[in-house]
Amino acid sequence: MKVSFLDLQPVTARQRDELIAAATRVIDRGWFILGEELAAFEREFAAWNGSAFGIGVGTGLDALSLVLRGWREMGLVHAGDEVIVPAHTFIASVLAITEAGLKPVLVEVCEQSFTMDPASPAAAINDRTRVLMPVHLYGQLADMEAIMGLARKHGLLVLEDAAQAHGARLGERRAGTWGDAAAFSFYPGKNLGALGDGGMVTTDDSTLAEVVGALRNYGSKEKYHHQYAGPNSRLDEIQAAFLRAKLPLLDGDNQRRREIAARYGREIVHPEVRLPAVVRGDEGHAWHLFVVRTCRRASLQQHLTANGIGSQIHYPVPPFRQQAYRELFAGIELPLTAALADEVLSLPLSPVMDAGQVAAVIEAVNSWQG
Ligand SMILES: *Cc1c(COP(=O)(O)O)cnc(C)c1O
């Protein structure tokens, strides 16, 4: 049996008629930017998440950088200030910081959870530190109680990178409701994906919501009057309409992801394959990705490919080793981050996988001899 790493066709096909109806609604209305679909989706997503405000933007990267730029406009953060971010993350977490004219300070993650270890930022905080940016990597909540405690103690702002963690929760409290603001991505492969690019800022701070709402629209609150030198980064009406149709399926999809992850956890048994740890309770993980570790990754990946099972590496080159940052991070050593980049492998995980496909993945991993 063939199992692709992620096939969005069957995910989208489940809602073919609703998505066509959503597109038709927008086409027939003839209003494509900053209209009622976006306003409704902002309200619906914020309410679903338990946030006071949602501001739809062009991408997850922009959601992150517009929060930082918003804090700069509000005078809370200044050019060159430091933002502490986990070194093991998707490059966008770091790009948002440099794009906002700030300095990323990379710290190692906790090896069990792959998320920010509150002990590492504690050592990195100095008088230029203004922001902590925990990343709920692979869908698992970072240790937000400890991180918020640290932030309050040192007077720091907290921006949650929740791009992979829509719906991860502790009790009723979801990812993106601990920090001063959060950024979500609706890139098609994310747990809630648009049919194109999209992103959202959530916050309970009405001032930040207003500033980000203006920033995304050329820095304008009133047409042709520009308070800030902002970019053009808005969530299209048609994407907002698609996302409104998809939001009601998100909790159920996350539940299905948890069931598949739990079965992988029970049935993948291989001495050389280390399974991901669940450290914030069952619902504290939205299982965007199921990431295993092995010292002989190339061999495992080859074996999976030979058995028709797709897999991917998130991420093969860490931000501190990227060409784009060869000067900024010159000479930095992050041994755990480097080891993870060499050892992590993501297995197929999608809410539409059936039991046979899940079994095929398990069997392929367990039969690996290398
Ligand atoms: C996807 C992602 C982003 C960026 O979102 P885009 O919508 O692709 O710009 C940021 N951070 C993390 C952790 C992500 O996975």
Side-chain angles (χ1 to χ4, degrees):
M1 184 186 300
K2 261 192 131 47
V3 184
S4 60
F5 175 71
L6 176 62
D7 182 0
L8 292 175
Q9 197 282 332
V11 174
T12 313
R14 297 181 296 174
Q15 290 190 286
R16 190 173 184 278
D17 293 345
E18 286 158 88
L19 294 169
I20 290 171
T24 305
R25 199 164 70 229
V26 173
I27 292 164
D28 290 349
R29 193 182 293 125
W31 188 278
F32 303 112
I33 301 283
L34 295 180
E36 59 189 86
E37 297 293 338
L38 177 59
F41 179 59
E42 288 174 335
R43 273 195 313 274
E44 289 160 9
F45 187 81
W48 169 84
N49 202 50
S51 303
F53 303 99
I55 306 99
V57 297
T59 67
L61 169 60
D62 286 352
L64 288 166
S65 68
L66 288 173
V67 169
L68 297 172
R69 288 178 68 168
W71 284 337
R72 283 194 59 182
E73 297 293 352
M74 290 162 70
L76 299 172
V77 175
H78 301 93
D81 280 350
E82 296 184 0
V83 179
I84 298 180
V85 63
H88 179 60
T89 184
F90 180 53
I91 186 80
S93 316
V94 182
L95 287 171
I97 299 169
T98 52
E99 204 173 285
L102 304 171
K103 185 181 171 206
V105 173
L106 306 176
V107 294
E108 296 279 27
V109 292
C110 155
E111 195 166 356
Q112 272 64 49
S113 65
F114 299 122
T115 61
M116 185 182 265
D117 180 348
S120 15
I125 291 169
N126 63 54
D127 55 7
R128 289 309 301 271
T129 310
R130 288 289 177 278
V131 180
L132 299 181
M133 189 197 285
V135 181
H136 306 303
L137 198 71
Y138 306 149
Q140 183 154 246
L141 284 173
D143 186 351
M144 291 311 297
E145 286 94 341
I147 289 166
M148 293 313 295
L150 195 65
R152 296 304 170 233
K153 185 170 149 205
H154 294 276
L156 307 175
L157 293 159
V158 175
L159 168 55
E160 296 176 64
D161 182 341
Q164 301 188 355
H166 325 60
R169 59 191 167 92
L170 269 186
E172 287 311 305
R173 196 153 184 197
R174 294 181 192 260
T177 59
W178 271 270
D180 299 281
F184 289 88
S185 165
F186 305 122
Y187 177 78
K190 300 289 161 84
N191 289 31
L192 177 61
L195 277 62
D197 275 312
M200 176 86 76
V201 170
T202 59
T203 183
D204 288 347
D205 179 346
S206 58
T207 306
L208 179 67
E210 205 181 307
V211 173
V212 170
L215 271 176
R216 70 171 171 189
N217 189 32
Y218 318 108
S220 166
K221 287 180 192 168
E222 188 191 339
K223 201 165 189 181
Y224 303 130
H225 295 267
H226 301 270
Q227 200 163 343
Y228 316 111
N232 172 0
S233 180
R234 303 166 301 208
L235 182 61
D236 294 347
E237 284 288 282
I238 201 158
Q239 295 303 338
F242 289 144
L243 287 162
R244 290 183 73 194
K246 294 187 74 176
L247 180 59
L249 266 58
L250 178 54
D251 285 326
D253 280 359
N254 282 346
Q255 188 50 37
R256 179 69 190 133
R257 287 175 183 274
R258 283 186 193 107
E259 287 162 15
I260 295 168
R263 184 163 173 210
Y264 281 165
R266 282 191 308 271
E267 297 182 29
I268 294 177
V269 274
H270 192 293
E272 286 186 71
V273 175
R274 203 188 314 179
L275 296 170
V278 176
V279 299
R280 314 259 176 263
D282 261 3
E283 299 189 319
H285 208 318
W287 292 106
H288 174 57
L289 294 169
F290 190 95
V291 179
V292 302
R293 273 179 80 180
T294 175
C295 297
R296 293 191 302 129
R297 177 176 66 193
S299 164
L300 174 57
Q301 189 165 32
Q302 229 165 35
H303 171 80
L304 293 176
T305 305
N307 285 274
I309 309 296
S311 62
Q312 281 188 19
I313 298 167
H314 300 93
Y315 300 90
V317 183
F320 86 98
R321 287 194 166 156
Q322 292 290 348
Q323 172 91 359
Y325 288 131
R326 64 196 173 280
E327 281 166 31
L328 185 59
F329 298 133
I332 285 184
E333 284 186 46
L334 291 155
L336 175 59
T337 300
L340 291 176
D342 289 340
E343 295 176 15
V344 291
L345 188 68
S346 308
L347 302 180
L349 178 54
S350 143
V352 301
M353 282 172 78
D354 62 31
Q357 292 175 308
V358 176
V361 174
I362 293 165
E363 196 183 308
V365 176
N366 287 344
S367 67
W368 170 49
Q369 283 162 353

